[in-house]
């Protein structure tokens, strides 16, 4: 449904400066190691800072000037942290880094104040792409990519419409064999056997994937973002999973963004909805009228089904002439307006 999976190249690491004190992903002082993507510079704003260290960081595919630590992606730029108790404003761009490596110069970490390790208990967050807010984050959007894609492409798209107080989380699907694509291994939230309303479905895989996304929601709640300030969304297979996850979630969410998708296990609804917790959830459903993969009529059938699950007036179904299995600027503006309405500044 989407492009091939993106590779994650690595550059060699800069050697430690004299007197630098390497740390591990757990925040303790030990051997030099690669840190997962979730340990971006902004995490260290919550840590106690003391003596300087050099932190080797994983290189990721950058997409222009937005591909930087402040926006949640690392790129070929060097960033510094300084001070006794730095916050997010401590992150400063200091120019191009040489092709020999990517590094952050900061300080050693007081493990008692560090929240870095929290992501380790949520597998999908370990390498998810996060577009961080430019100010205090009071809301979150969790967005799921389509079959064969990664979170990078949608992190880039969401960066263009982001709100400064909203965090955007774009996890990567695991790589599994997909029946629909001759058992080829690719990023996929669950197995797909067909793309028609009556095609067999991977019920166990769908439910397992939904639990993994709910774990991300729980993680954000523990970090202080209430569920009614969280929007779940996605494109194609990711949009399908976002619909199923939100409707079966035990927490009242702010809304759902469902792009070019369908409702998985639709025959189980409305009974499968979790005690009507999200009976009044707002849903923005968008679909290209020329979509050859998931025809717009399937989108219309999904919209009608959703109206039997939630309050009918809460379901918006927008179509876009000439658009195939992709997004368009008009659709992205609709997404931005939907997010702004449901997640106002507080």
């Amino acid at each position: 449904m989407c492009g091939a999976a993106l590779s994650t190249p690595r550059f060699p690491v800069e050697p430690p400066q004299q007197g630098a004190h390497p740390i591990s992903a757990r925040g303790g002082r030990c051997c030099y190691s690669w840190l997962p993507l979730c340990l971006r510079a902004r995490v260290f704003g919550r840590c106690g800072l003391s003596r300087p260290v050099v932190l080797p960081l994983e290189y990721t595919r950058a997409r222009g000037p937005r591909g930087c630590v402040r926006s949640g992606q690392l790129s070929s730029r060097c960033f510094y942290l300084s001070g006794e108790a730095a916050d997010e404003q401590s992150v400063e761009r200091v120019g191009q880094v040489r092709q020999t490596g990517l590094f952050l110069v900061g300080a050693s970490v007081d493990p008692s104040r560090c929240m870095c390790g929290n992501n380790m208990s949520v597998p999908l967050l370990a390498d998810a792409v996060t577009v961080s807010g430019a100010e205090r984050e009071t809301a979150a959007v969790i967005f799921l990519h389509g079959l064969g894609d990664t979170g990078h492409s949608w992190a880039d798209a969401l960066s263009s419409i982001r709100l400064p107080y909203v965090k955007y989380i774009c996890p990567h699907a695991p790589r599994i064999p997909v029946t629909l694509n001759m058992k080829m291994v690719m990023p996929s939230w669950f197995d797909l056997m067909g793309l028609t309303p009556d095609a067999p479905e991977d019920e166990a895989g769908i439910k397992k994937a939904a639990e993994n996304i709910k774990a991300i929601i729980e993680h954000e709640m523990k970090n202080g973002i209430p569920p009614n300030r969280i929007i779940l969304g996605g494109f194609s297979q990711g949009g399908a999973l976002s619909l199923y996850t939100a409707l079966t979630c035990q927490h009242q969410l702010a809304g759902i963004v469902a792009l070019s998708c369908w409702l998985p296990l639709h025959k189980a609804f409305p009974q499968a909805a979790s005690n009507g917790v999200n009976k009044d959830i707002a849903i923005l459903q968008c679909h290209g009228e020329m979509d050859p993969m998931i025809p717009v009529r399937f989108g219309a059938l999904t919209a009608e089904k959703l109206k039997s699950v939630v309050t009918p007036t809460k379901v918006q179904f927008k179509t876009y002439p000439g658009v195939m299995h992709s997004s368009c600027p008009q659709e992205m503006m609709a997404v931005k307006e939907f997010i702004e309405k449901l997640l106002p500044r507080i």
Side-chain angles (χ1 to χ4, degrees), residues 199-218:
E201 295 186 89
D202 177 17
E203 182 174 353
I206 292 167
K207 291 181 176 179
K208 178 182 178 181
E211 291 305 312
N212 289 335
I213 303 305
K214 290 172 187 175
I216 299 179
I217 295 171
E218 296 277 356

Side-chain angles (χ1 to χ4, degrees), residues 124 144-146 171-174 176 187-191 205 209 213 237-238 241:
L124 289 179
L144 312 179
H145 63 76
H172 307 306
I176 63 171
S188 183
W189 298 108
F190 48 85
D191 193 14
I213 303 305
Q237 188 193 41
L241 181 57

Side-chain angles (χ1 to χ4, degrees), residues 247-267:
L247 294 176
T248 59
C249 185
Q250 298 290 335
H251 304 289
Q252 186 175 355
L253 304 178
I256 310 170
V257 175
L259 309 182
S260 305
C261 65
W262 69 98
L263 175 62
L265 304 177
H266 62 92
K267 293 178 182 177

Side-chain angles (χ1 to χ4, degrees), residues 155-323:
D156 184 57
L158 292 168
S159 293
S160 66
I161 62 167
R162 68 175 178 157
L163 301 174
Y165 53 88
V166 176
K167 171 165 61 172
Y168 300 83
I169 304 169
C170 301
H172 307 306
R175 293 175 59 84
I176 63 171
V178 177
T179 302
L180 183 66
N181 287 346
M182 299 178 291
K183 291 289 185 181
M184 290 177 59
V185 176
M186 61 184 64
S188 183
W189 298 108
F190 48 85
D191 193 14
L192 282 172
M193 289 79 161
L195 293 174
T196 60
D198 58 349
E201 295 186 89
D202 177 17
E203 182 174 353
I206 292 167
K207 291 181 176 179
K208 178 182 178 181
E211 291 305 312
N212 289 335
I213 303 305
K214 290 172 187 175
I216 299 179
I217 295 171
E218 296 277 356
H219 182 270
E220 292 309 303
M221 291 170 58
K222 289 176 183 176
N223 281 349
I225 298 179
N228 64 358
R229 297 281 293 170
I230 297 175
I231 287 177
L232 188 56
F235 173 81
S236 192
Q237 188 193 41
L241 181 57
S242 71
L243 282 171
Y244 183 85
T245 303
L247 294 176
T248 59
C249 185
Q250 298 290 335
H251 304 289
Q252 186 175 355
L253 304 178
I256 310 170
V257 175
L259 309 182
S260 305
C261 65
W262 69 98
L263 175 62
L265 304 177
H266 62 92
K267 293 178 182 177
F269 289 92
Q271 291 78 12
S274 292
N275 302 319
V277 171
N278 284 297
K279 176 71 175 175
D280 292 321
I281 194 169
I283 301 175
L284 173 64
Q285 192 186 349
C286 301
H287 217 109
E289 293 183 5
M290 299 297 291
D291 192 331
M293 301 254 185
I294 305 168
V296 67
R297 68 179 182 275
F298 294 168
L301 289 172
T302 296
E304 290 305 310
K305 182 67 177 183
L306 291 173
K307 290 176 182 178
S308 73
V309 181
V310 304
T311 303
T313 56
K314 293 287 189 176
V315 179
Q316 298 181 59
F317 182 53
K318 297 178 179 289
T319 63
Y320 299 89
V323 176

Side-chain angles (χ1 to χ4, degrees), residues 118-133:
N118 289 1
N119 288 355
M120 299 302 109
S121 62
V122 184
L124 289 179
L125 280 178
D127 62 351
V129 184
T130 300
V131 181
S132 301

